[in-house]
Amino acid sequence: IKQFLLLSKRRTALITQCLKDSETSKPNFMPRLYINRRLAMEHRDNPALDPSCKNAVFTQVLSLLEGRCLVLCRWPLRYDQWWECKFIAEGIIDQGGGFRDSLADMSEELCPSSADTPVPLPFFVRTSNQGNSTGEARDMYVPNPSCKDFPKYEWIGQIMGAALRGKEFLVLALPGFVWKQLTGEEVSWSKDFPAVDSVLVKLLEVMEVMDKDTFEFKFGNELTYTTVLSDQRMVELIPNGSSTVVRYEDRKEFIHLVQKARLEESKEQIMAMQAGLLKVVPQAVLDLLTWQELEKKVCGDPEVTVDALKKLTRFEDFEPLDTRVQYFWEALNNFTNEDRSRFLRFVTGRSRLPARIYIYPDKMGSETTDALPESSTCSSTLFLPNYATAKVCEEKLRYAAYNCVAIDTDMSPWE
């Protein structure tokens, strides 16, 4: 049925209507959460110190909301903030920027953007492709087969649903293999699993067609009825599988058992995420979306191009030929996509598009300076100093993007 629904010319209108029909009225209050990001940063640097993960922003938000279902995120679209954030010892009045920062922090804790940092929460693990630096989609994560905290997966699904309904993003680097299951699309070993473990897919392809002599030379009596899941846990494919040698004649049965185990390794976790998603988004909406559309609505567009930024950026109080404007675009042209994503978060609290940006001269006016730029994420505003060269502008913007996320000009941290 889904494939016919996706062909409907009225699909977009039906999605809009389904979301509108499932709206709730706005409650009389917005939850106010006091978050300690310094403790969260310490946990992110060394998760082993706190196995309970109580200091992670994700856990702080969940505990302060007391685990309540995010039906509050089924408010009409004009109410695009689900809670108000107060960051302890940071200068911010939350008119949207602090809230967006909390979502960005949670995204980074769930699926870190850097392959060199530990994963501070137990809900997702790096794919084999990421661990081995092989195949496609080397920056992806899958739900952790060992983690049985299904209520938390359900809550993650609720936040995803809220992002789908609203204007904000929860950036989760998940392969199509996961998104397809969330939308109810069928997954295929040959089409979808190479994004998770391309080495295993290739190995099984070769094993299936190899002759007996090659099989026995390569594996001898060492290949048993076991496989390693994404969490690096070895599981038996049959009773006493670890002590049962795979014979050449039975290799196809072994291949089938491996494929089944790997395709279903995160099935329970994905079902819990889908259950949470459906608490916020009607089933009809998932039926009308492709997996690619679901990913983009939840996570935003991962490509932060200069052309897209030009369409979303407004310069205020600048002369048409001001060198600051020229230097700014030269700097962003020299940025990598990751640099531009970090810059976007520094200014707006979002790491993905679409996001509007407003740029004003800084308080020094036209006077040349080496000062760092300042931002106000609540108003998505950048205060751009007058730099001597495009190179200096590039260096200062990049430094701020990577090092000044917790700094905001809204107020004194001690007020």
Side-chain angles (χ1 to χ4, degrees):
I1 295 175
K2 185 178 178 76
Q3 60 186 346
F4 295 111
L5 288 173
L6 294 177
L7 294 172
S8 171
K9 293 180 180 179
R10 297 190 60 244
R11 191 161 64 91
T12 302
L14 285 170
I15 291 170
T16 302
Q17 191 60 49
C18 285
L19 291 174
K20 187 168 181 59
D21 289 347
S22 60
E23 286 178 357
T24 60
S25 57
K26 185 179 185 297
N28 297 325
F29 73 97
M30 181 184 295
R32 176 177 289 185
L33 313 182
Y34 289 85
I35 305 295
N36 191 324
R37 289 205 293 184
R38 295 186 180 183
L39 288 179
M41 189 62 71
E42 290 172 6
H43 171 70
R44 193 183 298 179
D45 289 341
N46 191 354
L49 294 176
D50 177 25
S52 71
C53 308
K54 67 179 183 297
N55 290 330
V57 171
F58 175 90
T59 313
Q60 291 185 60
V61 169
L62 179 59
S63 61
L64 291 167
L65 285 173
E66 298 173 339
R68 73 187 77 174
C69 173
L70 292 185
V71 290
L72 55 91
C73 304
R74 287 164 58 183
W75 298 345
L77 186 59
R78 63 184 178 276
Y79 301 109
D80 56 0
Q81 184 173 346
W82 319 323
W83 57 76
E84 180 184 347
C85 265
K86 296 285 187 181
F87 293 128
I88 296 169
E90 291 185 48
I92 187 167
I93 301 170
D94 189 7
Q95 296 175 329
F99 165 67
R100 289 193 295 272
D101 272 347
S102 69
L103 285 178
D105 285 333
M106 290 162 67
S107 299
E108 189 64 25
E109 290 174 345
L110 289 165
C111 298
S113 55
S114 171
D116 300 324
T117 59
V119 183
L121 291 172
F123 309 113
F124 298 94
V125 293
R126 292 184 167 98
T127 62
S128 298
N129 285 359
Q130 186 176 168
N132 300 329
S133 296
T134 56
E136 57 183 285
R138 298 183 188 183
D139 58 346
M140 295 293 176
Y141 293 77
V142 289
N144 183 353
S146 294
C147 184
K148 304 298 182 182
D149 195 346
F150 299 122
K152 296 260 189 4
Y153 282 107
E154 191 171 311
W155 198 72
I156 292 168
Q158 291 176 41
I159 305 174
M160 294 167 71
L164 185 155
R165 297 188 72 101
K167 300 175 183 177
E168 306 306 334
F169 304 126
L170 183 72
V171 182
L172 299 176
L174 307 175
F177 169 72
V178 175
W179 293 107
K180 277 188 173 184
Q181 292 179 75
L182 290 172
T183 59
E185 294 182 45
E186 192 172 330
V187 293
S188 156
W189 175 263
S190 59
K191 289 182 180 178
D192 300 312
F193 214 76
V196 178
D197 192 340
S198 60
V199 171
L200 178 64
V201 172
K202 185 65 178 175
L203 174 65
L204 295 184
E205 283 177 4
V206 172
M207 182 187 297
E208 187 169 7
V209 297
M210 68 174 49
D211 58 51
K212 186 173 184 178
D213 289 342
T214 306
F215 180 89
E216 291 180 350
F217 174 76
K218 283 186 172 293
F219 302 110
N221 293 323
E222 295 180 4
L223 183 64
T224 59
Y225 280 88
T226 60
T227 192
V228 177
L229 305 183
S230 291
D231 57 4
Q232 304 307 308
R233 182 167 47 97
M234 189 183 75
V235 295
E236 294 186 323
L237 301 172
I238 60 173
N240 301 315
S242 59
S243 57
T244 306
V245 174
V246 179
R247 298 180 304 168
Y248 176 75
E249 295 78 13
D250 301 324
R251 72 191 186 287
K252 291 187 178 180
E253 178 200 14
F254 170 77
I255 290 169
H256 171 73
L257 290 171
V258 171
Q259 290 174 345
K260 185 176 187 298
R262 295 304 307 274
L263 285 171
E264 296 180 357
E265 65 178 10
S266 302
K267 185 177 180 180
E268 292 177 306
Q269 291 78 9
I270 294 171
M271 285 177 62
M273 290 167 66
Q274 187 186 54
L277 192 56
L278 290 172
K279 284 189 175 180
V280 184
V281 177
Q283 176 69 60
V285 172
L286 291 188
D287 291 339
L288 289 163
L289 289 172
T290 66
W291 71 265
Q292 295 96 330
E293 290 169 334
L294 175 64
E295 179 185 18
K296 195 164 184 177
K297 283 181 176 292
V298 172
C299 302
D301 192 339
E303 289 297 315
V304 184
T305 65
V306 174
D307 286 342
L309 286 171
K310 283 183 176 179
K311 293 175 184 176
L312 293 163
T313 301
R314 283 181 56 180
F315 289 88
E316 305 284 355
D317 301 334
F318 286 93
E319 295 295 327
L321 299 178
D322 196 307
T323 56
R324 281 171 287 189
V325 178
Q326 175 192 334
Y327 292 166
F328 174 80
W329 290 122
E330 283 186 35
L332 263 65
N333 266 310
N334 291 332
F335 277 11
T336 64
N337 191 73
E338 174 66 16
D339 292 340
R340 288 191 289 269
S341 178
R342 297 269 187 161
F343 167 77
L344 192 65
R345 183 180 174 190
F346 168 64
V347 179
T348 70
R350 298 181 178 100
S351 58
R352 293 198 178 189
L353 295 175
R356 277 210 170 276
I357 296 175
Y358 302 90
I359 302 180
Y360 288 83
D362 82 336
K363 60 190 175 185
M364 300 295 290
S366 59
E367 185 179 333
T368 303
T369 178
D370 283 334
L372 286 170
E374 295 180 350
S375 70
S376 174
T377 55
C378 291
S379 57
S380 299
T381 301
L382 174 72
F383 299 97
L384 184 63
N386 186 21
Y387 295 116
T389 66
K391 185 66 177 174
V392 173
C393 181
E394 179 183 339
E395 290 172 354
K396 296 296 182 180
L397 288 175
R398 183 180 284 111
Y399 182 88
Y402 279 85
N403 297 282
C404 303
V405 171
I407 298 174
D408 199 288
T409 60
D410 291 337
M411 59 180 280
S412 163
W414 308 112
E415 288 181 6

